[in-house]
Amino acid sequence: MTHIGGPTTLIEVDGWRLLTDPTFDPPGRRYTFGWGSSSVKLVGPAVGVDELPEIDAVLLTHDQHADNLDDLGRALLPRVGAVVTTVAGAARLGGGAVGLAPWAVHTLSAPGRPSLSITATPCRHGPPLSRPITGDVIGFALEWPGQEHGALWVSGDSVLYDGMRQVGGRFDVGTVLLHLGAVRFGVTGPLRYSMTGRDGVELCSLLRPQTVIPVHYEGWSHFSQGRPGVAGAFAAGGLEARWLELGVTGLVSV
């Protein structure tokens, strides 16, 4: 795995190359998120879009926010093998993008490689009743033959709610890419749109994964909790994290 920045992570397994939420724009620009909210990108990607290997599939949790799909990330999509995202996102993107509702399954197959099963998992990108404003988001549970510890789960941008808790009842999660950051916007005051470190501790106490990899906690002005806050919450809750150095490929036992 290579954490490129924000939610963007390159996953290489058994010949497959998967990229989550491609964000490759340079820093310094302010992006609007609708309804008066906005955020400035503070840090650029640790790996440039032109440095990527050939990508078999992009796992796009949602397309409507630039911290998950920015301009250079969007330009990359026609050059990848497949794009898997929300049903609404696939309709907007076109080009053969695969849209999945929560718990729907899409399978990647290719000669000489094991089949890789992608199950969409529920997300709620904000407080109750926020979905019409924030839009649909999904996570991804990845399964393939030979996994030692269980499914690899990309949580997606979400607050902690019952839909997230249901993942542990459906999958034996061995590894989780955990989207955190406690996103807030000035226009909506104390309301949060993604999990805090404390939420991550509560969720992982239910899932009991072998490896927890925090992502999507830095690089933008709308994150209210960066690595120090997340690490402090994890330490207080007795949860050990695997922090991937940005741009450096690390081996993860899945």
Side-chain angles (χ1 to χ4, degrees):
M1 294 190 190
T2 309
H3 187 193
I4 293 171
T8 309
T9 305
L10 176 64
I11 302 168
E12 299 176 88
V13 55
D14 285 345
W16 293 106
R17 294 189 179 100
L18 313 175
L19 185 69
T20 67
D21 289 351
T23 55
F24 291 94
D25 285 0
R29 176 178 164 191
R30 179 176 292 276
Y31 298 78
T32 59
F33 289 78
W35 297 85
S37 62
S38 66
S39 183
V40 177
K41 186 170 187 178
L42 303 174
V43 179
V47 177
V49 68
D50 294 331
E51 300 175 88
L52 292 172
E54 184 176 346
I55 301 299
D56 296 297
V58 163
L59 306 179
L60 179 59
T61 63
H62 60 300
D63 70 304
Q64 64 267 31
H65 298 146
D67 59 326
N68 297 84
L69 181 68
D70 60 17
D71 290 346
L72 288 180
R74 192 177 294 270
L76 170 69
L77 298 184
R79 308 200 304 268
V80 305
V83 177
V84 185
T85 189
T86 64
V87 172
R92 285 188 291 264
L93 292 171
V98 176
L100 296 181
W103 309 124
V105 180
H106 179 71
T107 301
L108 297 179
S109 300
R113 305 180 196 173
S115 293
L116 195 152
S117 175
I118 303 169
T119 302
T121 59
C123 292
R124 195 184 75 204
H125 201 1
L129 306 180
S130 64
R131 197 180 305 273
I133 298 173
T134 59
D136 290 338
V137 182
I138 54 174
F140 301 99
L142 310 180
E143 297 177 292
W144 61 86
Q147 287 178 321
E148 181 179 354
H149 304 298
L152 167 58
W153 182 39
V154 181
S155 73
D157 289 5
S158 181
V159 297
L160 180 58
Y161 79 115
D162 285 346
M164 298 287 277
R165 296 184 181 97
Q166 291 171 13
V167 173
R170 290 179 177 249
F171 294 95
D172 180 12
V173 176
T175 305
V176 56
L177 289 178
L178 195 61
H179 290 216
L180 297 165
V183 164
R184 287 182 178 175
F185 298 100
V187 70
T188 54
L191 297 180
R192 286 189 287 101
Y193 298 86
S194 65
M195 289 189 291
T196 65
R198 186 174 179 179
D199 294 332
V201 170
E202 180 180 340
L203 180 60
C204 290
S205 71
L206 300 175
L207 300 175
R208 305 184 69 84
Q210 174 78 13
T211 305
V212 179
I213 301 173
V215 297
H216 208 29
Y217 56 84
E218 42 67 43
W220 290 78
S221 63
H222 64 322
F223 290 124
S224 68
Q225 187 179 56
R227 177 168 173 171
V230 171
F234 279 19
L239 180 63
E240 184 177 351
R242 170 77 183 274
W243 298 92
L244 295 179
E245 183 179 351
L246 289 176
V248 177
T249 300
L251 295 178
V252 178
S253 176
V254 179

